[in-house]
Amino acid sequence: MPESEDVPPTESPIRIELRRVPSLVIVNTGNGKGKSTAAFGIALRALGRGWRVRVIQFLKSGDWKTGEEDMLTRLGAEWWSAGDGFTWDSDDMESSRKLAVIAWQSAAETLRTGTHELLLLDEITYAMTWGWISTDEVIGAIKNRAQTVNVVLTGRDAPAALLDIADTVTTMADTKHAYNAGIAAKRGIDY
Ligand code: ATP
Ligand code: MG
């Protein structure tokens, strides 16, 4: 972190007493763009290290084939788009809720058994906020997870209790977004 005076540091900022942990919990939240993109960046790194990566998308429908799904599955990620699209397009909110519950139960199993080194729960915060899945249960499962499972969770309005147990929380700030100027989502940039 730069000091207040704008001069190059002459002492190493690295602390020698840093400890290693078997796994981390990362939360990307906030209203700005980049929550999922940054999570996929971690997935890319993890795959590069030979990790087993599992992605569960809580809202995205399997019918939309995104660039990230195409590329990360090619690189070996296991991918499940467990949603059925935008809630405002859904004609059966109850089936959307059930899908989220099934996806969560499967995620909980991965946390418990440790079959993957990285579990990416994309847009899971919405399922929590809407009461589709229990925040307490998610937090309990993360706390009691197999030690080697790193967890990345994304979505707006992450519950405070989730931020509490996370090791790293990034809140994306919506400084500006093309959408608000009437520009449609762009292939290759947004999906
Ligand atoms: P991305 O997937 O691009 O990293 P995100 O995960 O931060 O975005 P989501 O809320 O999941 O954000 O957004 C899903 C879609 O909405 C993406 O196409 C994204 O580009 C777009 N989006 C993200 N932030 C905003 C915003 N502040 N205003 C309008 N659209 C947004
Ligand atoms: Mg997202």
Side-chain angles (χ1 to χ4, degrees):
M1 204 66 74
E3 294 298 324
S4 47
E5 316 123 78
D6 284 330
V7 292
T10 51
E11 270 171 53
S12 165
I14 296 166
R15 290 191 289 150
I16 47 171
E17 72 276 19
L18 290 176
R19 63 202 162 82
R20 294 194 184 278
V21 293
S23 62
L24 291 169
V25 178
I26 311 283
V27 175
N28 293 343
T29 189
N31 293 331
K33 174 176 167 63
K35 299 175 286 294
S36 298
T37 319
F40 299 139
I42 293 177
L44 192 64
R45 285 182 171 160
L47 289 164
R49 299 301 183 181
W51 288 13
R52 291 163 295 181
V53 172
R54 180 166 197 221
V55 178
I56 302 178
Q57 295 196 290
F58 279 79
L59 299 184
K60 296 265 156 60
S61 152
D63 301 343
W64 315 337
K65 198 66 171 197
T66 60
E68 56 268 29
E69 176 177 355
D70 182 31
M71 194 50 63
L72 290 169
T73 52
R74 270 201 255 172
L75 295 174
E78 188 189 308
W79 202 284
W80 184 14
S81 303
D84 53 4
F86 293 119
T87 50
W88 53 87
D89 287 339
S90 174
D91 37 38
D92 186 358
M93 205 61 85
E94 182 55 20
S95 88
S96 305
R97 189 191 65 80
K98 280 186 185 147
L99 262 171
V101 170
I102 292 166
W104 162 245
Q105 285 165 348
S106 176
E109 190 63 11
T110 298
L111 289 168
R112 197 177 63 76
T113 55
T115 47
H116 297 72
E117 285 73 38
L118 183 71
L119 178 63
L120 202 173
L121 304 174
D122 192 37
E123 256 99 79
I124 190 174
T125 61
Y126 304 100
M128 289 190 253
T129 311
W130 299 333
W132 288 359
I133 60 176
S134 150
T135 299
D136 286 349
E137 209 181 302
V138 172
I139 284 162
I142 291 173
K143 276 188 174 166
N144 297 319
R145 73 190 183 281
Q147 281 205 353
T148 49
V149 187
N150 296 271
V151 195
V152 181
L153 307 98
T154 85
R156 295 178 188 208
D157 302 316
L162 179 61
L163 304 187
D164 283 345
I165 63 150
D167 296 292
T168 298
V169 176
T170 302
T171 306
M172 305 291 173
D174 182 16
T175 306
K176 201 172 179 184
H177 197 288
Y179 183 80
N180 297 115
I183 299 168
K186 190 157 182 63
R187 191 181 161 90
I189 298 285
D190 291 303
Y191 60 93

